[in-house]
Amino acid sequence: MPTLRTWQVVAGSAVAGLALAASVVVAAGPWDSGQRTAERERAASRSHRGGADHGEGRVPQAAPSAPGVLAAVSGAGPRQAGAPTALADALRPLLADPALGDVRAASVVDAATGAVLYEEKPREPMTPASTVKIATAAAALAALGPEHRIATTVVPGAGAGRIVLVGGGDPSLSAKKKNPAGPGGSLVVLAADTAQALKATGTETVTLAYDDSLWTGPARHPIGRNPNIAPMSALMADEGRPDDSTSGPVDRTDTPAQDAAAAFAALLRERGITVTGAPARAKAPAGAQALATTWSTPVAGLVERMLTTSDNDIAEALARQTAVAAGKPADFEGGEKAVAEKLASLGLDLTGTRFADGSGLNRADKVSSGLLTALLAKAAEPGRPELRPVLTGLPVAGFNGTLRARNAGSSPAAGLLRAKTGTLSGVNSLAGTVVDPSGRLLAFAFLTANTPGPEGAEKALDKLAAAVATTSPGGS
């Protein structure tokens, strides 16, 4: 039986009020665990040629991007000028809910025109939690492009019979025969290609080293050891997870690069290459030509996976890739500067902002609700197709990712709403897009602080989002 896609579920269960929602989700492309089907099947499939360089001497081509998201953005389709008073009347009492703490900020804008429909403290910088991933995603896409792939390579070492496994910072790299998280770089394929290249030169015994020097600075996130994130490493397989989990908290390895190298050594042995001793850290010789290469899923796919499941490891890797693209050190400070500079180049007002990390785990992050809606509106601009994965990666209310169980079932926002969640102790946020009853694509962001508990805050945020989804310009 074919896999049932989210858009099919929406279309199949639609009532009159969800008819528009079905077309919205279809326009964004079919869904499969946060990845567009085209990218899963064409960009990095597990076929013979998927995910690796098999000697063709060129970077594999990424699958075409999904069609332009949300046709209503272009100006086609119904659009009423409508006074925003009805929306304000609907949101004000909901925003006053004590479950939202004692500091609240809100912004709702028409994504096509930029018109402000509702706002409260829209320029006040607040701790955004994981909604900062919207900023990380936009910066990485703007800096690298949606089709960019990250390479993990094997190069000759300094001396005969020596090889070096070089990490390029691919957060999708896996040591499993089939990566449970989806397509990405494969140590299995890389080992097969390396073994083939070695045997072609008559080499069947090697000493293996590994180079994880691309990332600099502290290996630990400022929050310290935490099951929500692995140590920072440019060479890591399966996000340092000891099981087949692909998201959520789990204890991680303390030695991700060493573990990835050990797994690679075992894969080489399975393919007839004798690896002497245990892999040791070493710098790859400058200018060394690759014996074999495996490539990550395209940045567009990484962004979608990050946003759908709120993947902290991908977020930090993308912040560092943005730093590398800008010629800055690949550490927290370099990522912060590079993300800010790239977003500023898009014409966004960054007053008071700080991107202390890429994931939102750091409470030092500061973002305004107005910046979040500006980012979402920027991603919807027809002239910015490279930013479209910021929208297509957002979870769909009641269907997938971190919104699977929120605004679900009989909620009037089920299937209509796409948004990024944010949760830290005392901090809850929600930012995303929705098509209102008049056909306008709206971008919204709600930030809160000092909330008494996550459950009540999430329910209150969901009511706010549902009100944005269901309030027509005229208030009917």
Side-chain angles (χ1 to χ4, degrees), residues 245-302:
S245 66
T246 60
S247 63
V250 65
D251 286 336
R252 314 299 184 86
T253 177
D254 291 325
T255 55
Q258 182 178 334
D259 291 357
F264 184 68
L267 290 167
L268 286 176
R269 293 185 182 105
E270 290 176 6
R271 285 151 182 79
I273 300 298
T274 299
V275 181
T276 60
R281 181 179 279 112
K283 183 77 173 176
Q289 296 297 307
L291 295 171
T293 302
T294 186
W295 301 90
S296 73
T297 195
V299 167
L302 293 174

Side-chain angles (χ1 to χ4, degrees), residues 44-48 50-51 174 176-179 182-186 189:
S45 69
R46 288 289 176 244
S47 65
H48 170 65
S174 177
K176 302 180 187 299
K177 290 183 178 179
K178 184 175 182 180
N179 185 350
S186 172
V189 175

